[in-house]
Amino acid sequence: MSESFDQAWVLLGVGMVTVFSVLLLVVIIGNTLIFFVNRFFSGDSSGPPADQTGKGDIHPAKVAAIVAGVKNVTGGRGNVIDIRKK
């Protein structure tokens, strides 16, 4: 019975280390991808955009709220490029 518990603990440890390693790789690769995209493909940050639907369907207060929310969540690093109603 002791051998079964030993094998179970080894399998538990190997599984936890494997999951941790895979998640760590996902985080590292994701952050690296975000860094390179922001560095080499950054867009024009000329300020908050106007209503870009062309029809004026979205109320300007809603556009301002969306832009403020994006700036708040991204710490001022994100830009709203296009807003579309679905």
Side-chain angles (χ1 to χ4, degrees), residues 29-70:
I29 291 171
N31 285 337
T32 305
L33 179 67
I34 290 170
F35 172 76
F36 281 115
V37 167
N38 286 338
R39 181 169 180 134
F40 297 113
F41 299 105
S42 64
D44 180 24
S45 60
S46 60
D51 185 352
Q52 301 209 358
T53 60
K55 301 174 187 170
D57 291 342
I58 301 176
H59 195 271
K62 290 183 181 180
V63 174
I66 292 170
V67 171
V70 168

mmCIF file of all heavy atoms in Angstrom, residues 29-70:
data_model
loop_
_atom_site.group_PDB
_atom_site.id
_atom_site.type_symbol
_atom_site.label_atom_id
_atom_site.label_comp_id
_atom_site.label_asym_id
_atom_site.label_seq_id
_atom_site.Cartn_x
_atom_site.Cartn_y
_atom_site.Cartn_z
ATOM 1 N N ILE A 29 5.505 33.495 -23.577
ATOM 2 C CA ILE A 29 5.314 33.680 -25.019
ATOM 3 C C ILE A 29 4.288 34.773 -25.287
ATOM 4 O O ILE A 29 4.462 35.597 -26.183
ATOM 5 C CB ILE A 29 4.910 32.339 -25.688
ATOM 6 C CG1 ILE A 29 6.092 31.369 -25.650
ATOM 7 C CG2 ILE A 29 4.430 32.554 -27.113
ATOM 8 C CD1 ILE A 29 5.749 29.961 -26.070
ATOM 9 N N GLY A 30 3.212 34.816 -24.493
ATOM 10 C CA GLY A 30 2.202 35.858 -24.676
ATOM 11 C C GLY A 30 2.756 37.236 -24.423
ATOM 12 O O GLY A 30 2.527 38.176 -25.192
ATOM 13 N N ASN A 31 3.507 37.406 -23.335
ATOM 14 C CA ASN A 31 4.095 38.711 -23.041
ATOM 15 C C ASN A 31 5.125 39.121 -24.090
ATOM 16 O O ASN A 31 5.218 40.291 -24.455
ATOM 17 C CB ASN A 31 4.739 38.706 -21.653
ATOM 18 C CG ASN A 31 3.705 38.770 -20.560
ATOM 19 O OD1 ASN A 31 2.589 39.221 -20.772
ATOM 20 N ND2 ASN A 31 4.073 38.309 -19.373
ATOM 21 N N THR A 32 5.901 38.159 -24.578
ATOM 22 C CA THR A 32 6.870 38.460 -25.633
ATOM 23 C C THR A 32 6.160 38.886 -26.911
ATOM 24 O O THR A 32 6.569 39.860 -27.567
ATOM 25 C CB THR A 32 7.756 37.225 -25.905
ATOM 26 O OG1 THR A 32 8.357 36.807 -24.684
ATOM 27 C CG2 THR A 32 8.834 37.537 -26.923
ATOM 28 N N LEU A 33 5.107 38.189 -27.274
ATOM 29 C CA LEU A 33 4.343 38.548 -28.469
ATOM 30 C C LEU A 33 3.736 39.934 -28.335
ATOM 31 O O LEU A 33 3.804 40.750 -29.262
ATOM 32 C CB LEU A 33 3.254 37.504 -28.722
ATOM 33 C CG LEU A 33 2.347 37.741 -29.922
ATOM 34 C CD1 LEU A 33 3.156 37.615 -31.206
ATOM 35 C CD2 LEU A 33 1.213 36.757 -29.918
ATOM 36 N N ILE A 34 3.150 40.237 -27.179
ATOM 37 C CA ILE A 34 2.567 41.559 -26.949
ATOM 38 C C ILE A 34 3.649 42.637 -27.034
ATOM 39 O O ILE A 34 3.440 43.692 -27.630
ATOM 40 C CB ILE A 34 1.851 41.588 -25.587
ATOM 41 C CG1 ILE A 34 0.591 40.740 -25.640
ATOM 42 C CG2 ILE A 34 1.515 43.012 -25.171
ATOM 43 C CD1 ILE A 34 -0.051 40.509 -24.291
ATOM 44 N N PHE A 35 4.817 42.375 -26.447
ATOM 45 C CA PHE A 35 5.912 43.343 -26.485
ATOM 46 C C PHE A 35 6.325 43.652 -27.920
ATOM 47 O O PHE A 35 6.465 44.813 -28.305
ATOM 48 C CB PHE A 35 7.104 42.813 -25.685
ATOM 49 C CG PHE A 35 8.338 43.657 -25.821
ATOM 50 C CD1 PHE A 35 8.438 44.859 -25.140
ATOM 51 C CD2 PHE A 35 9.387 43.255 -26.627
ATOM 52 C CE1 PHE A 35 9.565 45.647 -25.256
ATOM 53 C CE2 PHE A 35 10.517 44.029 -26.760
ATOM 54 C CZ PHE A 35 10.612 45.227 -26.073
ATOM 55 N N PHE A 36 6.541 42.599 -28.733
ATOM 56 C CA PHE A 36 6.990 42.823 -30.101
ATOM 57 C C PHE A 36 5.921 43.483 -30.963
ATOM 58 O O PHE A 36 6.229 44.340 -31.791
ATOM 59 C CB PHE A 36 7.464 41.514 -30.744
ATOM 60 C CG PHE A 36 8.846 41.128 -30.313
ATOM 61 C CD1 PHE A 36 9.058 39.986 -29.571
ATOM 62 C CD2 PHE A 36 9.937 41.913 -30.641
ATOM 63 C CE1 PHE A 36 10.326 39.630 -29.162
ATOM 64 C CE2 PHE A 36 11.212 41.570 -30.236
ATOM 65 C CZ PHE A 36 11.410 40.421 -29.496
ATOM 66 N N VAL A 37 4.682 43.105 -30.782
ATOM 67 C CA VAL A 37 3.611 43.738 -31.558
ATOM 68 C C VAL A 37 3.497 45.208 -31.197
ATOM 69 O O VAL A 37 3.384 46.071 -32.077
ATOM 70 C CB VAL A 37 2.270 43.006 -31.338
ATOM 71 C CG1 VAL A 37 1.108 43.813 -31.868
ATOM 72 C CG2 VAL A 37 2.301 41.638 -32.000
ATOM 73 N N ASN A 38 3.550 45.531 -29.907
ATOM 74 C CA ASN A 38 3.469 46.933 -29.501
ATOM 75 C C ASN A 38 4.687 47.727 -29.946
ATOM 76 O O ASN A 38 4.581 48.914 -30.240
ATOM 77 C CB ASN A 38 3.312 47.043 -27.983
ATOM 78 C CG ASN A 38 1.933 46.666 -27.520
ATOM 79 O OD1 ASN A 38 0.980 46.702 -28.290
ATOM 80 N ND2 ASN A 38 1.819 46.285 -26.270
ATOM 81 N N ARG A 39 5.841 47.098 -29.990
ATOM 82 C CA ARG A 39 7.052 47.822 -30.364
ATOM 83 C C ARG A 39 7.143 48.081 -31.862
ATOM 84 O O ARG A 39 7.515 49.163 -32.295
ATOM 85 C CB ARG A 39 8.268 47.042 -29.900
ATOM 86 C CG ARG A 39 9.551 47.741 -30.242
ATOM 87 C CD ARG A 39 10.717 47.111 -29.570
ATOM 88 N NE ARG A 39 11.899 47.847 -29.969
ATOM 89 C CZ ARG A 39 12.816 48.238 -29.137
ATOM 90 N NH1 ARG A 39 12.681 47.968 -27.872
ATOM 91 N NH2 ARG A 39 13.871 48.877 -29.557
ATOM 92 N N PHE A 40 6.829 47.077 -32.669
ATOM 93 C CA PHE A 40 7.050 47.194 -34.109
ATOM 94 C C PHE A 40 5.797 47.526 -34.909
ATOM 95 O O PHE A 40 5.889 47.960 -36.044
ATOM 96 C CB PHE A 40 7.672 45.909 -34.650
ATOM 97 C CG PHE A 40 9.031 45.633 -34.072
ATOM 98 C CD1 PHE A 40 9.244 44.551 -33.245
ATOM 99 C CD2 PHE A 40 10.095 46.479 -34.338
ATOM 100 C CE1 PHE A 40 10.488 44.302 -32.702
ATOM 101 C CE2 PHE A 40 11.347 46.240 -33.807
ATOM 102 C CZ PHE A 40 11.548 45.147 -32.989
ATOM 103 N N PHE A 41 4.623 47.315 -34.358
ATOM 104 C CA PHE A 41 3.399 47.549 -35.101
ATOM 105 C C PHE A 41 2.469 48.505 -34.376
ATOM 106 O O PHE A 41 1.255 48.399 -34.482
ATOM 107 C CB PHE A 41 2.659 46.229 -35.349
ATOM 108 C CG PHE A 41 3.456 45.248 -36.148
ATOM 109 C CD1 PHE A 41 4.041 44.156 -35.534
ATOM 110 C CD2 PHE A 41 3.641 45.425 -37.506
ATOM 111 C CE1 PHE A 41 4.792 43.256 -36.255
ATOM 112 C CE2 PHE A 41 4.386 44.524 -38.233
ATOM 113 C CZ PHE A 41 4.967 43.429 -37.612
ATOM 114 N N SER A 42 3.024 49.425 -33.615
ATOM 115 C CA SER A 42 2.166 50.341 -32.876
ATOM 116 C C SER A 42 1.480 51.296 -33.838
ATOM 117 O O SER A 42 2.052 51.755 -34.814
ATOM 118 C CB SER A 42 2.983 51.118 -31.843
ATOM 119 O OG SER A 42 3.936 51.929 -32.484
ATOM 120 N N GLY A 43 0.225 51.607 -33.541
ATOM 121 C CA GLY A 43 -0.561 52.491 -34.392
ATOM 122 C C GLY A 43 -0.345 53.946 -34.015
ATOM 123 O O GLY A 43 0.409 54.293 -33.105
ATOM 124 N N ASP A 44 -1.024 54.822 -34.702
ATOM 125 C CA ASP A 44 -0.948 56.245 -34.429
ATOM 126 C C ASP A 44 -1.812 56.548 -33.220
ATOM 127 O O ASP A 44 -3.002 56.273 -33.215
ATOM 128 C CB ASP A 44 -1.428 57.033 -35.650
ATOM 129 C CG ASP A 44 -1.363 58.528 -35.432
ATOM 130 O OD1 ASP A 44 -0.576 58.976 -34.586
ATOM 131 O OD2 ASP A 44 -2.097 59.251 -36.136
ATOM 132 N N SER A 45 -1.229 57.137 -32.194
ATOM 133 C CA SER A 45 -1.991 57.482 -30.991
ATOM 134 C C SER A 45 -2.197 58.988 -30.950
ATOM 135 O O SER A 45 -1.621 59.696 -30.135
ATOM 136 C CB SER A 45 -1.265 56.999 -29.743
ATOM 137 O OG SER A 45 0.005 57.616 -29.671
ATOM 138 N N SER A 46 -3.039 59.467 -31.841
ATOM 139 C CA SER A 46 -3.243 60.908 -31.955
ATOM 140 C C SER A 46 -4.311 61.422 -31.002
ATOM 141 O O SER A 46 -4.635 62.586 -31.037
ATOM 142 C CB SER A 46 -3.621 61.260 -33.394
ATOM 143 O OG SER A 46 -4.801 60.594 -33.753
ATOM 144 N N GLY A 47 -4.863 60.557 -30.164
ATOM 145 C CA GLY A 47 -5.868 60.999 -29.214
ATOM 146 C C GLY A 47 -7.135 60.191 -29.351
ATOM 147 O O GLY A 47 -7.222 59.253 -30.127
ATOM 148 N N PRO A 48 -8.160 60.572 -28.594
ATOM 149 C CA PRO A 48 -9.401 59.807 -28.649
ATOM 150 C C PRO A 48 -10.075 59.949 -30.006
ATOM 151 O O PRO A 48 -10.139 61.034 -30.562
ATOM 152 C CB PRO A 48 -10.265 60.418 -27.551
ATOM 153 C CG PRO A 48 -9.489 61.510 -26.937
ATOM 154 C CD PRO A 48 -8.174 61.614 -27.615
ATOM 155 N N PRO A 49 -10.566 58.850 -30.538
ATOM 156 C CA PRO A 49 -11.187 58.899 -31.852
ATOM 157 C C PRO A 49 -12.604 59.459 -31.788
ATOM 158 O O PRO A 49 -13.271 59.411 -30.768
ATOM 159 C CB PRO A 49 -11.225 57.436 -32.282
ATOM 160 C CG PRO A 49 -11.325 56.694 -30.997
ATOM 161 C CD PRO A 49 -10.526 57.496 -30.010
ATOM 162 N N ALA A 50 -13.027 59.976 -32.899
ATOM 163 C CA ALA A 50 -14.420 60.402 -33.022
ATOM 164 C C ALA A 50 -15.259 59.173 -33.350
ATOM 165 O O ALA A 50 -14.748 58.079 -33.498
ATOM 166 C CB ALA A 50 -14.543 61.445 -34.121
ATOM 167 N N ASP A 51 -16.527 59.353 -33.463
ATOM 168 C CA ASP A 51 -17.411 58.255 -33.846
ATOM 169 C C ASP A 51 -17.016 57.805 -35.243
ATOM 170 O O ASP A 51 -17.147 58.548 -36.205
ATOM 171 C CB ASP A 51 -18.859 58.738 -33.820
ATOM 172 C CG ASP A 51 -19.824 57.605 -34.085
ATOM 173 O OD1 ASP A 51 -19.405 56.503 -34.423
ATOM 174 O OD2 ASP A 51 -21.021 57.860 -33.950
ATOM 175 N N GLN A 52 -16.528 56.585 -35.360
ATOM 176 C CA GLN A 52 -15.962 56.131 -36.616
ATOM 177 C C GLN A 52 -16.925 55.299 -37.442
ATOM 178 O O GLN A 52 -16.527 54.706 -38.416
ATOM 179 C CB GLN A 52 -14.687 55.341 -36.330
ATOM 180 C CG GLN A 52 -13.681 56.190 -35.601
ATOM 181 C CD GLN A 52 -12.263 55.778 -35.898
ATOM 182 O OE1 GLN A 52 -12.016 54.838 -36.616
ATOM 183 N NE2 GLN A 52 -11.338 56.501 -35.348
ATOM 184 N N THR A 53 -18.169 55.258 -37.049
ATOM 185 C CA THR A 53 -19.122 54.494 -37.844
ATOM 186 C C THR A 53 -19.520 55.253 -39.096
ATOM 187 O O THR A 53 -19.995 54.670 -40.051
ATOM 188 C CB THR A 53 -20.381 54.159 -37.022
ATOM 189 O OG1 THR A 53 -20.977 55.383 -36.604
ATOM 190 C CG2 THR A 53 -20.040 53.306 -35.832
ATOM 191 N N GLY A 54 -19.352 56.560 -39.086
ATOM 192 C CA GLY A 54 -19.695 57.364 -40.243
ATOM 193 C C GLY A 54 -21.158 57.737 -40.276
ATOM 194 O O GLY A 54 -21.568 58.616 -41.007
ATOM 195 N N LYS A 55 -21.984 57.064 -39.495
ATOM 196 C CA LYS A 55 -23.412 57.316 -39.507
ATOM 197 C C LYS A 55 -23.862 58.101 -38.285
ATOM 198 O O LYS A 55 -24.972 58.587 -38.244
ATOM 199 C CB LYS A 55 -24.170 55.985 -39.548
ATOM 200 C CG LYS A 55 -23.841 55.146 -40.746
ATOM 201 C CD LYS A 55 -24.508 53.799 -40.644
ATOM 202 C CE LYS A 55 -24.043 52.894 -41.753
ATOM 203 N NZ LYS A 55 -24.469 51.536 -41.571
ATOM 204 N N GLY A 56 -23.029 58.164 -37.277
ATOM 205 C CA GLY A 56 -23.412 58.848 -36.053
ATOM 206 C C GLY A 56 -24.391 58.048 -35.224
ATOM 207 O O GLY A 56 -25.172 58.609 -34.473
ATOM 208 N N ASP A 57 -24.348 56.722 -35.354
ATOM 209 C CA ASP A 57 -25.283 55.863 -34.626
ATOM 210 C C ASP A 57 -24.971 55.791 -33.133
ATOM 211 O O ASP A 57 -25.861 55.603 -32.322
ATOM 212 C CB ASP A 57 -25.247 54.439 -35.190
ATOM 213 C CG ASP A 57 -25.840 54.378 -36.588
ATOM 214 O OD1 ASP A 57 -26.555 55.327 -36.962
ATOM 215 O OD2 ASP A 57 -25.585 53.398 -37.290
ATOM 216 N N ILE A 58 -23.718 55.930 -32.788
ATOM 217 C CA ILE A 58 -23.322 55.786 -31.392
ATOM 218 C C ILE A 58 -23.251 57.170 -30.764
ATOM 219 O O ILE A 58 -22.629 58.083 -31.286
ATOM 220 C CB ILE A 58 -21.968 55.069 -31.275
ATOM 221 C CG1 ILE A 58 -22.055 53.680 -31.912
ATOM 222 C CG2 ILE A 58 -21.549 54.956 -29.821
ATOM 223 C CD1 ILE A 58 -20.760 52.931 -31.947
ATOM 224 N N HIS A 59 -23.889 57.313 -29.618
ATOM 225 C CA HIS A 59 -23.933 58.582 -28.915
ATOM 226 C C HIS A 59 -22.517 58.982 -28.476
ATOM 227 O O HIS A 59 -21.750 58.131 -28.018
ATOM 228 C CB HIS A 59 -24.854 58.455 -27.694
ATOM 229 C CG HIS A 59 -25.238 59.768 -27.112
ATOM 230 N ND1 HIS A 59 -24.486 60.377 -26.154
ATOM 231 C CD2 HIS A 59 -26.287 60.578 -27.369
ATOM 232 C CE1 HIS A 59 -25.045 61.521 -25.824
ATOM 233 N NE2 HIS A 59 -26.162 61.660 -26.550
ATOM 234 N N PRO A 60 -22.135 60.257 -28.616
ATOM 235 C CA PRO A 60 -20.779 60.677 -28.245
ATOM 236 C C PRO A 60 -20.420 60.392 -26.786
ATOM 237 O O PRO A 60 -19.264 60.132 -26.473
ATOM 238 C CB PRO A 60 -20.785 62.183 -28.518
ATOM 239 C CG PRO A 60 -21.864 62.389 -29.515
ATOM 240 C CD PRO A 60 -22.879 61.333 -29.257
ATOM 241 N N ALA A 61 -21.392 60.410 -25.892
ATOM 242 C CA ALA A 61 -21.102 60.099 -24.493
ATOM 243 C C ALA A 61 -20.694 58.630 -24.333
ATOM 244 O O ALA A 61 -19.831 58.299 -23.519
ATOM 245 C CB ALA A 61 -22.313 60.411 -23.625
ATOM 246 N N LYS A 62 -21.315 57.749 -25.132
ATOM 247 C CA LYS A 62 -20.945 56.337 -25.086
ATOM 248 C C LYS A 62 -19.545 56.120 -25.639
ATOM 249 O O LYS A 62 -18.771 55.323 -25.105
ATOM 250 C CB LYS A 62 -21.955 55.495 -25.861
ATOM 251 C CG LYS A 62 -23.300 55.394 -25.187
ATOM 252 C CD LYS A 62 -24.233 54.492 -25.956
ATOM 253 C CE LYS A 62 -25.600 54.418 -25.286
ATOM 254 N NZ LYS A 62 -26.521 53.554 -26.024
ATOM 255 N N VAL A 63 -19.215 56.854 -26.708
ATOM 256 C CA VAL A 63 -17.867 56.754 -27.279
ATOM 257 C C VAL A 63 -16.840 57.219 -26.253
ATOM 258 O O VAL A 63 -15.809 56.577 -26.047
ATOM 259 C CB VAL A 63 -17.755 57.577 -28.582
ATOM 260 C CG1 VAL A 63 -16.323 57.596 -29.086
ATOM 261 C CG2 VAL A 63 -18.685 57.031 -29.649
ATOM 262 N N ALA A 64 -17.129 58.319 -25.566
ATOM 263 C CA ALA A 64 -16.211 58.827 -24.549
ATOM 264 C C ALA A 64 -16.065 57.836 -23.402
ATOM 265 O O ALA A 64 -14.956 57.647 -22.873
ATOM 266 C CB ALA A 64 -16.702 60.175 -24.033
ATOM 267 N N ALA A 65 -17.149 57.180 -23.020
ATOM 268 C CA ALA A 65 -17.089 56.192 -21.944
ATOM 269 C C ALA A 65 -16.255 54.984 -22.358
ATOM 270 O O ALA A 65 -15.461 54.460 -21.563
ATOM 271 C CB ALA A 65 -18.495 55.759 -21.554
ATOM 272 N N ILE A 66 -16.398 54.550 -23.601
ATOM 273 C CA ILE A 66 -15.624 53.413 -24.099
ATOM 274 C C ILE A 66 -14.140 53.763 -24.128
ATOM 275 O O ILE A 66 -13.289 52.990 -23.682
ATOM 276 C CB ILE A 66 -16.127 52.977 -25.486
ATOM 277 C CG1 ILE A 66 -17.533 52.384 -25.378
ATOM 278 C CG2 ILE A 66 -15.170 51.983 -26.129
ATOM 279 C CD1 ILE A 66 -18.222 52.150 -26.699
ATOM 280 N N VAL A 67 -13.817 54.947 -24.646
ATOM 281 C CA VAL A 67 -12.416 55.372 -24.714
ATOM 282 C C VAL A 67 -11.830 55.492 -23.314
ATOM 283 O O VAL A 67 -10.702 55.046 -23.053
ATOM 284 C CB VAL A 67 -12.297 56.707 -25.490
ATOM 285 C CG1 VAL A 67 -10.899 57.283 -25.374
ATOM 286 C CG2 VAL A 67 -12.668 56.507 -26.944
ATOM 287 N N ALA A 68 -12.577 56.070 -22.386
ATOM 288 C CA ALA A 68 -12.093 56.211 -21.010
ATOM 289 C C ALA A 68 -11.903 54.842 -20.354
ATOM 290 O O ALA A 68 -10.929 54.627 -19.624
ATOM 291 C CB ALA A 68 -13.060 57.060 -20.202
ATOM 292 N N GLY A 69 -12.812 53.923 -20.619
ATOM 293 C CA GLY A 69 -12.687 52.581 -20.060
ATOM 294 C C GLY A 69 -11.460 51.846 -20.581
ATOM 295 O O GLY A 69 -10.741 51.196 -19.826
ATOM 296 N N VAL A 70 -11.209 51.968 -21.880
ATOM 297 C CA VAL A 70 -10.033 51.315 -22.467
ATOM 298 C C VAL A 70 -8.758 51.919 -21.886
ATOM 299 O O VAL A 70 -7.817 51.208 -21.541
ATOM 300 C CB VAL A 70 -10.060 51.418 -24.005
ATOM 301 C CG1 VAL A 70 -8.736 51.007 -24.604
ATOM 302 C CG2 VAL A 70 -11.178 50.571 -24.575
#
